[in-house]
Amino acid sequence: LGSLYLSLGDNENAREAYLRVNELLPDNAATLNNLAWLYIETSPEEAVKFGAKASDLAPDSPNIKDTYAMALRAAGVYGNARKTIDKAEEAAPANTVFRNHRAQILDALGEYDVALEDLDFILQPGNEFEERGSAAALQNAILLKVDKQ
């Protein structure tokens, strides 16, 4: 049910459904990962808590590492976010979502050159992905920052 709500963009009901599942299955990494994602914008500290537990339960999952890294970024823990997203990206170097999230973390750290390399890679013509618009906006924002230096 949580997945259905999530696919419909109904984050509140998705969060409630996943919380109910988490009560029944507290060690389900996929549920914890979805909860982490759902809490990133509203409660980064909760997102980190759920992401850390999911990552502990599934240490080899690049998708879970990606979510955990974004939770850390939202909580302002940029150094650990960088280490975590690097592990996800190492496991799947061509994954456009991981590279986009890595660029966001690198931007927060002020590592603009490396962020631009990731963005150049994922924004190649013909490389379509859901977050393309936000990646292009980030690239433009970073270019403006670099021009001001």
Side-chain angles (χ1 to χ4, degrees):
L1 189 57
S3 298
L4 174 62
Y5 285 129
L6 197 58
S7 69
L8 296 172
D10 186 349
N11 290 349
E12 186 176 324
N13 281 319
R15 190 171 23 252
E16 289 176 22
Y18 282 121
L19 285 170
R20 284 193 298 270
V21 171
N22 189 51
E23 288 174 9
L24 299 170
L25 303 168
D27 291 333
N28 183 293
T31 298
L32 292 163
N33 188 60
N34 286 328
L35 283 166
W37 189 256
L38 287 164
Y39 275 101
I40 284 175
E41 291 183 15
T42 59
S43 181
E45 295 77 21
E46 283 294 304
V48 168
K49 181 182 84 172
F50 288 122
K53 187 170 181 185
S55 186
D56 288 345
L57 290 168
D60 296 327
S61 170
N63 290 325
I64 288 175
K65 293 280 186 224
D66 172 64
T67 301
Y68 183 36
M70 293 304 285
L72 289 164
R73 174 188 167 268
V77 188
Y78 303 124
N80 286 344
R82 167 74 190 271
K83 291 175 191 169
T84 304
I85 197 66
D86 283 349
K87 291 176 185 172
E89 195 268 336
E90 286 169 14
N95 185 302
T96 53
V97 173
F98 296 171
R99 298 282 290 265
N100 184 38
H101 292 170
R102 184 171 180 256
Q104 293 174 35
I105 292 165
L106 292 166
D107 174 48
L109 287 166
E111 296 183 35
Y112 304 129
D113 291 342
V114 184
L116 287 170
E117 288 174 18
D118 280 347
L119 292 166
D120 287 345
F121 176 81
I122 64 175
L123 291 171
Q124 296 175 44
N127 193 5
E128 297 302 321
F129 59 103
E130 187 175 335
E131 297 177 2
R132 187 176 179 85
S134 66
L138 178 60
Q139 183 183 47
N140 290 334
I142 292 172
L143 288 170
L144 287 172
K145 291 176 193 177
V146 171
D147 284 346
K148 290 181 181 180
Q149 291 181 343

